[in-house]
Every structure is written in C-alpha cells, then in structure tokens.
Amino acid sequence: MHETDTRGQTEVLGTALVIGMVLLGSIAIVTVGMSSLRDSQGQLQEQRAEKSLSQFDSEAALVALGSTSTRSVTLPSTGGDYHANKTKGWMNITTTTPEGNKTHILNSTLGVVTADVNGVTLGYQGGGVWRASPSGGKMVSPPEFNYRGNTLTLPIISISNSGNVNGEAVINRKSSDKIYPATGVGSNPLSQQKIHIEVTSQFYRGWGSYFEQRTNSEVTYNDEISTVSITLVPPPEPIELDSGVVAAGNLSLKGTAGVSGDVSLGGTTDGEDGISGDVNENVTENIHLESATTEIERAKTRLENESAPADTTTVTAGNYSVSDGTLFSDDTIFNTSNGDITLYVDSNIASGNDVTVTGDGSVTLYVDGEFHMNGQPTWGDESHVDSLLIYSKTVDRITRLHGVLYTGAVDVDGAGGGNSMDLTGALVSTSDDVEMGGNVDIEYHSSLSGSNVQEVDLEFAKLSYMHITNNEIVVK
C-alpha cells in the first residue's frame, strides 16, 4: 500500500473518532439534561401540590369551623390524582385517673386527601398538610391542634367521604359535635387525669414532629403500626410544707422513733402509732417530687464557679462553692443580716461543730454527698427554723437540727445512743423508703406553714383545660 493511501485512511479514521466522541458527549449531555429536567419537573409538581393542598387546608378550615357552609378550591393536575379516603388515619384520646381507670373520649377516623407526586405522598389530614416519603415524613402546614399555656384546643377536622377530587373540589360542612367538656365525659378544669393522645397515620412522623415542637411532652413512636402518641397531665398543686415528714415513698418507724406532726407520703407507713398528727398516704403529687440529686446537680451548675467564703467562721451574704467539708471544721456562723447565703459543697459533710444562723435572711446548703453530724452539735436557730434548708444526697446521722432537710435516702437508727435524729422543722425525702428507728424524733414547726416544698415539675406537658370538637366535611 502506498504511503498516501495509509495517510488518507488515518485521516478518515481520526475524523470518525472525533465525530463519535462528539456524538457520545452530546448523548451524555442530553441524558443528564433530561434527568435534570425530570427532577426539576418533579420538584415543581411537588411544590404545586403542596401549595394546592395548603389552599385546600385554608378553605376546609373556614367550612369545618363555621365561617361558611361551603367553599371550593382548584386542585390542578400534578402528575397524579387527588383522592379522598374517609378510612385513612385515626385519632384516639383517653383519660387515665391515678387509680388507672381509663375513659375513652374520642376514637375517630380522620380521613385524608392525598396526592402522589414524584415518589412522594402529600396529604391533608386533621387540619394540616403533611409529606411522607421513603426517607421519612414532615409537616408542611400545622394541624388544628392548639396547645398554649395549660390549654388544649382541638377542633378535629375529618373527611367523611371517599373518591377522586381532581379539578374543582367543593368542600361542604356535614356536622360538628362537641366532644369535651361534655356531660358524662368530663369537665374543666382537669383534675389529676393524664390525657393520652394517639394518632395513627401514614404521616405519623410529621404529627410527632409537630407534637415535639408545640409541647414539652415526651413523644413516643411505634413504627410498626405507624402510630405516634403523647401524654398531657394537669399541673399538680404545689406541695405545701405542712407536715413533719413529706416523702415520695414509704415511711417505716421502729422502736421509739416518732413524728410530732402530720405526715404526707407517696406510699404508706407501718408506724402510725408513732405519729401524733394526720397520716396522708398515697399522695400523688409526692411521687413526682424532684429528686434531691437533681436539685443538687442544678445547684452545681449554677454555683460551682463561685469562690469559697473569705471567712469560714463567719459567712456573710452571697453565693459560694467549696470543694470539701472543711468549712465546718470549726463552729460556723451564717450571718444573713445583709442577705441570703447559698453554698454548694462538692463532698460529704461530716461535722461535729455547731452552725448558727443569725439575721433575717435564709441559708441554703447543697451537699453533693452524705450529710453526717458527729457527736452532739446543733445546727440552726430553734426559733427561726425556716432560715435553714439543707439538700443532701443521703443522710446518715443527725443530732440537733433546726431547719428543713431535703434528701434522698434516709436510714437512721438511734438505738443504743448510736445514730440519732432530733429534727425540729421538717424532713423531705425523695427516696422510695424512709427508715427510722431508735430514739429518732422529728417535730414539725408551725413557722413552716404556708411555704411550699417545691413547684413540682413533671416529664409531661401540663394541661388544665381541654376543648375538643369533631367537625366533619364532605369533599367532592
């Protein structure tokens, strides 16, 4: 073959390769472009569907809640049909008394209007618009679930028919029923009942997210049955410090141990013979007493960066923190003439020295450990017992204490002159059991009357008033 022929074939082959590469590149560009176009079209369809259902939401609320008897809204084509289904989704509301008795307030289907767009399901349900996809769910616009302060207003909007609703959707009011308060069901304000609200829906994750945003209640999810639930409770009355012993659990008195005054217990007692006042057992509020450990941890956060008192024998007004109990290695005077004193102690206290409180202010001690009095020291002012409040994780031995002791575990036995307790004021225990024996004596002091142990804080959102209606609409 001649050289010119070879060169000619090479040029033709090169030109063909260039053309092929250009064609492949063009195909790739077109393919990517088509994919991007489809993605953009899908996103646009989702946005249009969300907007349309949000408008449907607004019109449905006007009809269901009484502003008008009928409205219409356009639901344009989105690549999928709008469909109403009266059987999808339901809400269950029950109340539970402290004794465990349940009352069903509502067990009703919610219904739904949905549109399946671009692999995503968008829906109107319960007065809100929701989104569900394989990656999860979220709220688009909030439902008719209004929790503010201690009041829940819940005008449930439910769909009462099934069928396609494309194009011009007409919304008509069907009925409106008062569910709560109602004769035979319950009244406001609520008293002690827990309110349990459960929603089963393909949009349950969105409902749960909304509950988490609007309440401080614990939200529980059951993925197997697509259900979310929350619990609301009435705010308990503040626990008054009107008893010699206020305990979250049980009280056991052995030997000659006794209480001069009333006793308030979350549990029961076996020592009524040693109690001179009234015995109040199974007090619900006491069960929710904030633990002494929690109170001490909160104080640590507030106070651990404070300095120690400059004078450890005469402590004046201010906030302080010490790393050990050596502050009480000598007799100590807390002078509150110029204000209150708050002290965090990052250790046990084992002291055999007297502590005196002077002035018109108060002293609060947070003991991050055990509180133990050696020998026979006296702490506090017998004529002013409300001036001394001591928090401790546990208490082992107390001789003469004039004040309020807020603690966890209490297990003292004064038998044989060993461990003993002589407390004038009040004892608050957040443990399950308080054990006292021997010559232990607690005498309630009337100067504490009218003061509160604490404002009880619960794990659930608090609820005093509840207003529920069920409002049915027809969508065609």
Side-chain angles (χ1 to χ4, degrees):
M1 182 178 292
H2 295 290
E3 183 179 347
T4 55
D5 294 337
T6 303
R7 185 168 58 250
Q9 291 176 358
T10 301
E11 290 175 355
V12 171
L13 181 60
T15 301
L17 287 173
V18 170
I19 293 173
M21 292 175 65
V22 170
L23 287 173
L24 288 173
S26 298
I27 293 170
I29 292 171
V30 170
T31 301
V32 172
M34 291 295 291
S35 177
S36 298
L37 180 60
R38 284 194 296 269
D39 290 343
S40 298
Q41 288 177 336
Q43 291 172 3
L44 181 60
Q45 289 174 344
E46 288 180 42
Q47 292 170 3
R48 291 181 64 193
E50 285 187 5
K51 184 177 180 180
S52 297
L53 285 173
S54 295
Q55 182 62 34
F56 179 92
D57 178 13
S58 300
E59 301 298 337
L62 292 175
V63 174
L65 305 182
S67 295
T68 183
S69 61
T70 184
R71 300 286 286 188
S72 63
V73 61
T74 301
L75 299 177
S77 173
T78 59
D81 292 332
Y82 289 90
H83 186 78
N85 190 323
K86 66 180 182 180
T87 66
K88 294 291 187 179
W90 59 269
M91 180 178 288
N92 180 279
I93 302 176
T94 59
T95 64
T96 305
T97 67
E99 295 75 28
N101 299 322
K102 291 187 177 182
T103 300
H104 290 279
I105 293 179
L106 176 79
N107 188 11
S108 176
T109 57
L110 295 171
V112 67
V113 174
T114 58
D116 293 316
V117 185
N118 197 32
V120 172
T121 299
L122 298 166
Y124 166 87
Q125 184 177 72
V129 178
W130 314 92
R131 173 191 175 98
S133 67
S135 60
K138 71 174 186 177
M139 178 188 71
V140 177
S141 63
E144 296 294 338
F145 181 99
N146 304 302
Y147 177 76
R148 183 171 299 173
N150 292 333
T151 301
L152 172 65
T153 304
L154 182 53
I156 300 166
I157 300 177
S158 56
I159 308 294
S160 63
N161 68 297
S162 298
N164 289 330
V165 288
N166 294 316
E168 192 76 7
V170 179
I171 309 166
N172 292 303
R173 185 189 311 142
K174 181 179 179 182
S175 63
S176 181
D177 299 314
K178 186 177 182 180
I179 305 299
Y180 195 96
T183 303
V185 178
S187 60
N188 287 319
L190 297 164
S191 176
Q192 296 191 325
Q193 310 104 301
K194 289 183 179 180
I195 312 300
H196 187 74
I197 301 174
E198 191 172 73
V199 175
T200 297
S201 167
Q202 67 193 106
F203 307 110
Y204 75 103
R205 281 282 168 182
W207 278 95
S209 176
Y210 179 72
F211 291 155
E212 289 173 349
Q213 293 172 20
R214 293 304 303 270
T215 76
N216 61 349
S217 177
E218 179 181 353
V219 177
T220 303
Y221 296 91
N222 187 330
D223 296 324
E224 292 184 1
I225 58 174
S226 300
T227 297
V228 62
S229 60
I230 59 170
T231 300
L232 310 172
V233 301
E237 295 295 325
I239 300 174
E240 294 187 1
L241 197 54
D242 55 2
S243 303
V245 174
V246 178
N250 304 310
L251 172 64
S252 178
L253 298 177
K254 306 297 184 184
T256 60
V259 178
S260 299
D262 298 340
V263 167
S264 176
L265 306 173
T268 60
T269 182
D270 61 6
E272 290 192 17
D273 291 342
I275 301 171
S276 66
D278 295 334
V279 177
N280 299 298
E281 298 179 321
N282 299 313
V283 179
T284 303
E285 290 83 359
N286 289 23
I287 298 173
H288 301 293
L289 276 168
E290 196 74 85
S291 73
T293 297
T294 298
E295 295 283 1
I296 293 167
E297 290 299 318
R298 288 174 178 168
K300 178 180 180 179
T301 300
R302 298 194 311 268
L303 302 170
E304 63 180 339
N305 293 323
E306 300 287 349
S307 59
D311 185 346
T312 58
T313 57
T314 301
V315 181
T316 55
N319 296 328
Y320 304 100
S321 176
V322 295
S323 58
D324 54 44
T326 56
L327 171 66
F328 304 101
S329 58
D330 294 308
D331 292 347
T332 303
I333 298 173
F334 286 105
N335 185 349
T336 66
S337 299
N338 294 322
D340 296 338
I341 298 171
T342 304
L343 174 66
Y344 167 73
V345 182
D346 191 16
S347 72
N348 299 328
I349 287 182
S351 174
N353 299 289
D354 293 338
V355 171
T356 305
V357 180
T358 63
D360 296 328
S362 63
V363 177
T364 304
L365 302 181
Y366 295 93
V367 183
D368 203 346
E370 182 181 81
F371 184 65
H372 180 100
M373 296 175 71
N374 296 319
Q376 296 293 320
T378 299
W379 281 44
D381 180 357
E382 188 173 9
S383 62
H384 193 25
V385 299
D386 57 349
S387 65
L388 179 60
L389 171 59
I390 301 174
Y391 290 89
S392 70
K393 289 185 176 179
T394 61
V395 58
D396 175 59
R397 183 176 190 270
I398 292 179
T399 52
R400 290 183 293 273
L401 175 64
H402 308 302
V404 177
L405 179 60
Y406 192 118
T407 186
V410 179
D411 188 358
V412 291
D413 186 353
N419 293 343
S420 63
M421 175 185 280
D422 184 1
L423 171 63
T424 302
L427 170 70
V428 180
S429 173
T430 61
S431 68
D432 292 335
D433 295 286
V434 176
E435 303 280 345
M436 298 193 300
N439 57 348
V440 174
D441 180 57
I442 298 177
E443 180 179 354
Y444 177 71
H445 199 280
S446 59
S447 65
L448 298 175
S449 179
S451 58
N452 295 330
V453 176
Q454 66 178 35
E455 296 290 337
V456 179
D457 188 19
L458 301 180
E459 60 181 312
F460 305 116
K462 300 180 180 68
L463 183 66
S464 297
Y465 298 89
M466 186 165 62
H467 305 277
I468 302 175
T469 58
N470 191 15
N471 309 276
E472 288 189 279
I473 59 174
V474 178
V475 184
K476 293 183 177 180

